[in-house]
Amino acid sequence: MNEAELIDKQGCPKAVELSESVHWIGALDPNLRTFDIILKTANGTTYNAYAIRGSEGVAVVDTVKEGFADDFFARLESVADYDEIKVIVLNHLEPDHTGALPELMRRAPGARLFISQKAQAMLKALLKQDQMSYTPVLTGDRVSLGDRTLEFLHTPYLHWPDTQCTYLSEERMLFSGDVFGCHFCDNRLFNDRAGDFRFSFEYYYAHIMRPFKDYVVRALDLIEPLPISVIAPTHGPILRDRPERYIRRYRQLSGPSLESEISPEQKTLLIFYISSYGNTQRMAEAVYSGAMQVQDVRVSLYDLEGGEIEPFVDLIEEADGLVFGTPTINGDAVKPVWDLLSSLTVINIKTKLGGVFGSYGWTGEGVPLVEDRLRGLKMRVPIPGLRVKLIPTDEELEACREFGLQLAQELMGLRARKVIDMADLV
Amino acid sequence: MAKSTITFEDINVTVTVPAGTRIIEVSEKVGSGITYGCREGDCGTCIMKVTNGWNHLTEPSVLEDKVLRENMAGKHNRLACQAQALGGEISVKPV
């Protein structure tokens, strides 16, 4: 296939056939270089939407970004009349898939909108329309087009709360939303014809799906039993050549990034520090030594000055507890600590144990600021942070050892619950 | 005065409080990970999970219910800035 097949002889965009009853009616955006702020793309993206024809009507699955609506409507009109459209499915409400929805609903007033249960709260906020009627669906719900039936799979948090997949059993096609997608624009459209998009596929997973691995696994549990001949995602190539490879790859990527080096009864505690005059380093070594006293805690000590962020992120994803040592400079924690802490949105660190310590010269704001950041990341911070003014004394180093010991005991569930009266709280 | 205990599961701390105390009045002082935004029941930042003693908290107001719904809060979730202890044993944790 070449670009000419995406337009007709008059130069109008036309639909591309996936099967006799299913057509791609999306749009190409080859000039996009940054997506959602967090993603780069070297050759743009596609906004994939699909039209499915049954004996009793047509369904449209997803739309496109608003600025590409003209291409979408032209392609839709090349395979269906608006009064034939009975069903509109939104697998994901992000604006790059709902940009043409209001106009589509205006042009096809006989269509019923189907969205996931979790999409309901977002629909109004996104489209700013009060009177929009729709049918919320869950796994197992179906809508018939006569000789074609759409079946919904509830696959939330891939990568928004609202996401779902839609399965066309008669064609063994999975309309997967952003799952199995990537930002890769190729007018040959299909994975057996497009250029090499492996990097884009992996990169997309790493930035979009990785924070939601648990939800990816739950979605795969629903998807894997289905016979699938085509995966039709909302971005990037349509996966019709051996689609099971991509499902298998998602299963691999959703496992641990690193082979586990520890036994099931052990827990891991990572201590990251950075130090200008060696004071925070001495504290770190004492925290490390204290934590080492607790059996079955595997403690590791890392100087942030000697490492790159990306491998640290891989380590953190698998760790049970994280401790950060930071000096305070000009009233703040130092940049390498913030750089690491601002790189953790690609993984899930909720409920991991956290702790903070550091040396300071005047007021020591760095430690409480990092503690607040850990709480903001939904980590547990049960032991108050430890601050030492300038050079730690022997007593202060002993307090660091005790701090490490308490963190390790907390990790293993060995600390007794603290009971206090509100009147004693400062 | 009637007393209540509030256990913050994320930090393993139990606080004895007088009835009528809001969770917000103690959670930050003890270092729990429940985080706050507007502190007046509007933003939903402080949604917490009540793991025990749901019935020992004041009923959510219509406004709190609305904020919980808009934030897709799960079962037994409350706003820590609004929920008040009435007595008995209560356990909470950040969501």
Side-chain angles (χ1 to χ4, degrees):
Chain A
M1 177 175 292
N2 56 45
E3 191 174 13
E5 292 176 46
L6 300 181
I7 56 173
D8 65 18
K9 287 173 185 165
Q10 284 75 45
C12 281
K14 69 169 190 175
V16 176
E17 185 176 300
L18 274 71
S19 73
E20 202 171 302
S21 57
V22 181
H23 286 79
W24 176 84
I25 53 170
L28 307 181
D29 184 2
N31 297 318
L32 186 80
R33 291 294 174 267
T34 303
F35 190 90
D36 264 4
I37 304 170
I38 59 170
L39 278 176
K40 293 286 179 192
T41 170
N43 66 348
T45 193
T46 63
Y47 309 108
N48 298 335
Y50 304 91
I52 303 164
R53 178 173 290 282
S55 59
E56 294 174 9
V58 170
V60 174
V61 179
D62 294 315
T63 76
V64 299
K65 198 172 178 178
E66 192 175 11
F68 297 81
D70 288 349
D71 286 3
F72 164 79
F73 285 118
R75 290 196 167 99
L76 174 57
E77 287 165 14
S78 73
V79 288
D81 295 329
Y82 289 111
D83 59 5
E84 293 181 294
I85 300 171
K86 306 296 181 209
V87 170
I88 299 169
V89 175
L90 292 180
N91 283 328
H92 177 25
L93 264 56
E94 201 169 358
D96 53 328
H97 309 300
T98 51
L101 179 71
E103 178 61 15
L104 176 61
M105 293 191 76
R106 196 189 65 77
R107 294 188 190 191
R112 183 79 187 163
L113 177 63
F114 292 82
I115 58 174
S116 75
Q117 293 274 353
K118 285 186 184 290
Q120 297 175 77
M122 308 175 92
L123 188 68
K124 188 177 157 190
L126 272 168
L127 300 176
K128 306 298 179 200
Q129 293 188 14
D130 286 327
Q131 301 302 323
M132 192 170 274
S133 67
Y134 56 83
T135 301
V137 290
L138 277 171
T139 299
D141 288 339
R142 292 181 169 85
V143 57
S144 173
L145 299 169
D147 61 356
R148 295 286 181 275
T149 306
L150 299 177
E151 185 175 335
F152 301 102
L153 305 178
H154 181 57
T155 55
Y157 295 101
L158 303 176
H159 57 118
W160 276 21
D162 63 297
T163 52
Q164 65 175 359
C165 296
T166 303
Y167 182 61
L168 178 61
S169 55
E170 292 85 355
E171 307 269 354
R172 299 181 169 193
M173 281 188 196
L174 182 73
F175 301 92
S176 59
D178 281 349
V179 183
F180 306 116
C182 63
H183 291 310
F184 189 87
C185 184
D186 192 314
N187 56 29
R188 292 165 291 186
L189 284 188
F190 295 95
N191 67 323
D192 51 316
R193 296 188 179 183
D196 192 338
F197 64 97
R198 285 175 297 177
F199 164 77
S200 303
F201 185 86
E202 305 270 323
Y203 178 79
Y204 189 88
Y205 180 94
H207 288 80
I208 296 288
M209 299 297 164
R210 185 179 179 186
F212 306 101
K213 277 185 177 181
D214 291 346
Y215 289 98
V216 174
V217 167
R218 285 183 224 175
L220 291 174
D221 290 342
L222 290 176
I223 291 168
E224 284 169 342
L226 301 173
I228 289 176
S229 55
V230 177
I231 296 173
T234 44
H235 294 292
I238 297 162
L239 311 171
R240 67 179 179 185
D241 176 41
R242 293 173 291 159
E244 67 281 0
R245 286 178 299 157
Y246 302 94
I247 298 172
R248 209 160 48 234
R249 185 63 185 144
Y250 255 51
R251 180 63 81 171
Q252 289 167 345
L253 292 168
S254 302
S257 308
L258 301 169
E259 286 294 320
S260 180
E261 292 285 339
I262 68 159
S263 52
E265 69 275 12
Q266 291 183 317
K267 291 193 182 290
T268 53
L269 185 69
L270 311 183
I271 303 169
F272 297 95
Y273 73 92
I274 190 158
S275 190
S276 50
Y277 288 102
N279 298 326
T280 299
Q281 179 178 357
R282 290 178 67 201
M283 292 179 73
E285 287 162 356
V287 172
Y288 175 71
S289 138
M292 294 273 277
Q293 293 174 49
V294 178
Q295 193 179 354
D296 287 334
V297 177
R298 288 276 287 266
V299 195
S300 308
L301 184 63
Y302 301 102
D303 183 348
L304 283 172
E305 204 176 350
E308 298 284 340
I309 283 184
E310 218 165 283
F312 283 152
V313 172
D314 288 344
L315 284 174
I316 288 170
E317 185 177 32
E318 307 299 325
D320 299 299
L322 309 170
V323 192
F324 297 90
T326 178
T328 297
I329 296 182
N330 292 338
D332 200 356
V334 294
K335 189 169 180 296
V337 174
W338 289 127
D339 286 345
L340 180 58
L341 288 171
S342 66
S343 304
L344 303 181
T345 51
V346 296
I347 57 173
N348 180 10
I349 59 168
K350 270 186 187 176
T351 73
K352 287 185 194 292
L353 174 70
V356 190
F357 62 90
S359 163
Y360 68 98
W362 297 273
T363 43
E365 294 91 337
V367 169
L369 285 171
V370 172
E371 281 184 293
D372 281 347
R373 172 64 177 159
L374 300 189
R375 290 191 190 101
L377 290 167
K378 305 290 183 190
M379 290 178 64
R380 299 185 295 121
V381 188
I383 320 282
L386 186 62
R387 297 185 297 172
V388 166
K389 194 169 174 76
L390 295 169
I391 300 169
T393 63
D394 287 346
E395 291 76 23
E396 286 166 334
L397 289 175
E398 184 52 38
C400 292
R401 277 187 283 276
E402 179 63 24
F403 181 69
L405 176 68
Q406 285 184 20
L407 284 166
Q409 287 173 333
E410 175 70 27
L411 201 57
M412 300 307 291
L414 300 174
R415 284 181 79 232
R417 173 170 297 164
K418 193 172 167 187
V419 180
I420 43 183
D421 193 280
M422 187 177 173
D424 297 329
L425 290 172
V426 181
Chain B
M1 183 185 285
K3 294 276 186 182
S4 182
T5 63
I6 305 170
T7 297
F8 297 93
E9 290 191 347
D10 61 322
I11 53 169
N12 205 19
V13 169
T14 298
V15 187
T16 307
V17 302
T21 302
R22 288 176 195 267
I23 306 299
I24 189 175
E25 294 176 64
V26 268
S27 77
E28 287 179 304
K29 287 180 182 166
V30 296
S32 169
I34 300 167
T35 50
Y36 295 90
C38 68
R39 297 169 182 267
E40 53 188 24
D42 195 37
C43 72
T45 306
C46 65
I47 291 174
M48 62 176 180
K49 172 98 173 167
V50 182
T51 55
N52 185 41
W54 172 262
N55 295 326
H56 294 315
L57 291 167
T58 49
E59 289 281 322
S61 67
V62 173
L63 282 175
E64 184 182 344
D65 260 339
K66 180 171 173 282
V67 172
L68 290 168
R69 266 201 317 279
E70 285 173 352
N71 285 278
M72 289 183 276
K75 196 181 174 192
H76 286 177
N77 283 2
R78 290 292 306 271
L79 298 182
C81 70
Q82 298 298 302
Q84 289 173 275
L86 294 171
E89 295 178 359
I90 299 159
S91 296
V92 299
K93 63 179 184 182
V95 294

